[in-house]
Amino acid sequence: MDKIELNIENALSALKPGAFDSLAPVAQDAFKTLVSGSGAGNDFLGWVKLPSETSAELLADIKATAEELRTKCQVVVAIGIGGSYLGAKAVIEALSNSFAAYRHEGCEVLFAGQNIGEDYLYELSDYLKDRQFGIVVISKSGTTTEPAIAFRLLKEQLEKQVGRDEAARRIVAITDESKGALRSLATEEGYKTYVIPDNVGGRFSVLTPVGLLPIAVAGFDIEALVAGAARMERATLEGKDNTSLTYAQTRNALYRAGKKIEILVNYNPKLHYFGEWWKQLYGESEGKDHKGIYPASVDFSTDLHSMGQWIQEGERTIFETVISVIEQKHNVVIPSDNANLDGLNYIAGKRVDEVNKMAELGTRIAHVDGGVPNMRITIPCLREDYLGELIYFFEAACGISGYILDVNPFNQPGVEAYKRNMFALLEKPGYEAETAAIKAKL
Ligand code: PA5
């Protein structure tokens, strides 16, 4: 096996005869709408051919910038939220040593601007005060409050620690080509910048400099990541092996059969943030017009001891999509013990992963028996190229699925509601009417 594969057998057997096949024409139309660029949100389709169109020059430039930061800095803080954060975090976590945070080897990539936690920012600043650090600040709009606060604080700290000129050499801004406060600030301060293409929305931007620079700073192979995505792009667009279409069609058939919640399951803790990235991709793309599959995620077997009960016997409105990693990087064998006081000798000599795989199989059988349809995606191992494939697979499926659902998968109008209230409550200039209205409600 040298590519990711999708198995939908269990899901099909949970559907009424014909439920999957009858959706095929709608799914085909949705795919055509995506590829021809004739659907809603078609000014945000830059991601569709992004992997194959990413130039070797851009990748080399990103690698050179990453190398410069790695040489100068013990820590690089990637500042961003939502699509300007989750893709990089997901790939870095999937490829990193689980204890990288405690080993302090090479250049550490930390994140900020993904929350407004005062203690988080205080503790980050405290951690950085005796360290050589740099900043990659990422905001497509250039005006998002959370990253702007983090950047204002960390920029000031960096300038105090190394002086304004050196700080400017250690700050990279990734933003719109011409618009937004971050673009003006970067121009004013003379920062190195990268552009987020106009036609690529935040949650589809992991394969632009948004994801590629932090991933390269963390020491991973961005060329392989993009090459893997390009492989999946070809398979999808040529239509010979369109697993994205199959996945989109299956999840919509399940949704129409009353399965309103999709749980993305992993059996490898390194994929926790992949689940977070996936939730953002599908949640922001599909949850509109009072429609959309609710995307949830769990880490098994950990969460079998918390959410397992609900999944097995709770309301039957869920289905699972399991990501299964075939090969692990390391080999750990369970030892034999003469006393056998823990009763574990029956698995002595087996690899830990063999036990994990049996947990996966046993859970799948139990959940299918319990009325939870199940899809399975296998990935040969956690490597840059396969992660690139997986990213493109989910992105393409998301676009197709959104069109099957008949929503615009590429906007996020609902995200503005909390911002309006927050600005009104903080009495931001220009929000006077909203401030008066919200105060009347309090
Ligand atoms: O997918 C999206 O568009 C959003 O999640 C954005 O990525 C997020 O809101 C951050 O926006 P920006 O990059 O403009 O700061």
Side-chain angles (χ1 to χ4, degrees):
M1 174 187 172
D2 65 347
K3 61 184 175 69
I4 70 155
E5 281 172 13
L6 170 72
N7 186 319
I8 59 165
E9 246 170 68
N10 278 320
L12 288 186
S13 55
L15 287 165
K16 286 207 176 101
F20 176 77
D21 291 338
S22 63
L23 202 56
V26 183
Q28 279 294 346
D29 278 354
F31 175 61
K32 280 187 206 141
T33 303
L34 178 76
V35 175
S36 63
S38 57
N42 55 5
D43 41 349
F44 284 99
L45 295 177
W47 57 272
V48 174
K49 292 188 182 158
L50 183 70
S52 62
E53 288 176 354
T54 299
S55 69
E57 291 73 35
L58 177 64
L59 292 175
D61 193 88
I62 292 173
K63 279 169 64 180
T65 303
E67 201 42 51
E68 219 174 301
L69 286 170
R70 283 168 65 80
T71 312
K72 281 186 174 172
C73 307
Q74 295 164 289
V75 181
V76 169
V77 185
I79 298 178
I81 194 165
S84 290
Y85 148 67
L86 282 162
K89 177 78 177 167
V91 173
I92 292 171
E93 289 276 319
L95 295 171
S96 294
N97 183 296
S98 307
F99 299 93
Y102 309 98
R103 295 165 75 103
H104 304 294
E105 291 165 356
C107 181
E108 257 183 289
V109 177
L110 299 180
F111 292 87
Q114 81 282 36
N115 61 49
I116 327 177
E118 186 160 350
D119 286 349
Y120 184 92
L121 285 165
Y122 176 89
E123 287 158 16
L124 175 62
S125 155
D126 188 53
Y127 180 72
L128 295 171
K129 76 176 188 293
D130 305 315
R131 289 179 163 80
Q132 293 296 331
F133 79 98
I135 300 172
V136 176
V137 54
I138 309 167
S139 177
K140 182 169 183 196
S141 62
T143 55
T144 307
T145 310
E146 291 90 335
I149 293 171
F151 184 55
R152 184 180 275 213
L153 288 163
L154 293 181
K155 172 180 181 289
E156 184 191 57
Q157 177 171 352
L158 186 58
E159 287 174 351
K160 278 194 188 136
Q161 283 181 212
V162 298
R164 198 164 167 202
D165 290 348
E166 179 57 18
R169 286 191 280 274
R170 292 190 193 185
I171 295 174
V172 181
I174 307 178
T175 188
D176 184 85
E177 189 164 16
S178 55
K179 296 187 296 285
L182 182 57
R183 169 57 63 186
S184 322
L185 198 157
T187 309
E188 186 69 26
E189 302 278 2
Y191 301 151
K192 165 91 179 165
T193 62
Y194 289 98
V195 170
I196 308 174
D198 254 357
N199 58 358
V200 180
R203 57 190 173 276
F204 289 84
S205 70
V206 51
L207 299 171
T208 73
V210 169
L212 297 179
L213 181 60
I215 292 166
V217 172
F220 299 114
D221 184 348
I222 56 172
E223 278 151 353
L225 185 77
V226 172
R231 213 155 60 206
M232 187 54 95
E233 176 195 319
R234 267 193 311 278
T236 307
L237 300 185
E238 284 170 8
K240 281 186 216 131
D241 186 15
N242 198 343
T243 44
S244 294
L245 176 63
T246 309
Y247 171 59
Q249 185 177 332
T250 312
R251 65 197 292 282
N252 276 281
L254 291 165
Y255 180 60
R256 290 179 183 203
K259 304 295 180 188
K260 306 284 187 194
I261 300 164
E262 178 175 9
I263 306 177
L264 191 77
V265 178
N266 72 71
Y267 283 82
N268 186 322
K270 291 184 191 217
L271 289 176
H272 173 81
Y273 273 95
F274 206 88
E276 298 301 312
W277 170 80
W278 173 87
K279 282 193 288 196
Q280 192 227 357
L281 180 64
Y282 280 79
E284 265 190 356
S285 298
E286 295 196 317
K288 30 198 90 144
D289 306 339
H290 297 168
K291 293 191 274 191
I293 299 169
Y294 182 85
S297 65
V298 289
D299 304 322
F300 282 172
S301 68
T302 311
D303 292 334
L304 284 171
H305 298 259
S306 63
M307 294 307 291
Q309 171 60 35
W310 198 102
I311 294 170
Q312 188 69 46
E313 295 184 348
E315 202 178 336
R316 301 297 73 187
T317 47
I318 55 173
F319 65 97
E320 287 177 323
T321 299
V322 177
I323 301 182
S324 183
V325 182
I326 302 298
E327 286 297 332
Q328 310 308 308
K329 231 187 246 158
H330 305 286
N331 198 322
V332 179
V333 173
I334 297 162
S336 175
D337 184 293
N338 283 344
N340 195 26
L341 294 175
D342 52 12
L344 273 190
N345 271 355
Y346 77 103
I347 48 172
K350 289 191 194 299
R351 283 184 62 183
V352 171
D353 192 52
E354 207 180 326
V355 179
N356 201 23
K357 291 285 192 298
M358 289 308 109
E360 181 187 327
L361 181 57
T363 305
R364 183 160 68 242
I365 294 167
H367 288 184
V368 170
D369 286 349
V372 182
N374 192 292
M375 280 188 267
R376 183 168 185 246
I377 296 164
T378 45
I379 169 166
C381 64
L382 293 182
R383 218 172 63 185
E384 287 90 336
D385 53 345
Y386 295 131
L387 288 171
E389 272 188 31
L390 196 57
I391 286 168
Y392 191 88
F393 161 79
F394 277 127
E395 287 182 347
C398 184
I400 300 166
S401 187
Y403 284 144
I404 296 177
L405 200 61
D406 197 21
V407 297
N408 175 352
F410 306 112
N411 65 2
Q412 54 284 327
V415 176
E416 295 310 311
Y418 98 91
K419 289 187 194 167
R420 254 191 324 273
N421 287 345
M422 179 176 75
F423 294 148
L425 289 164
L426 290 168
E427 301 187 14
K428 185 175 177 174
Y431 283 77
E432 291 75 12
E434 287 87 346
T435 302
I438 205 161
K439 281 195 173 161
K441 284 189 197 165
L442 297 176

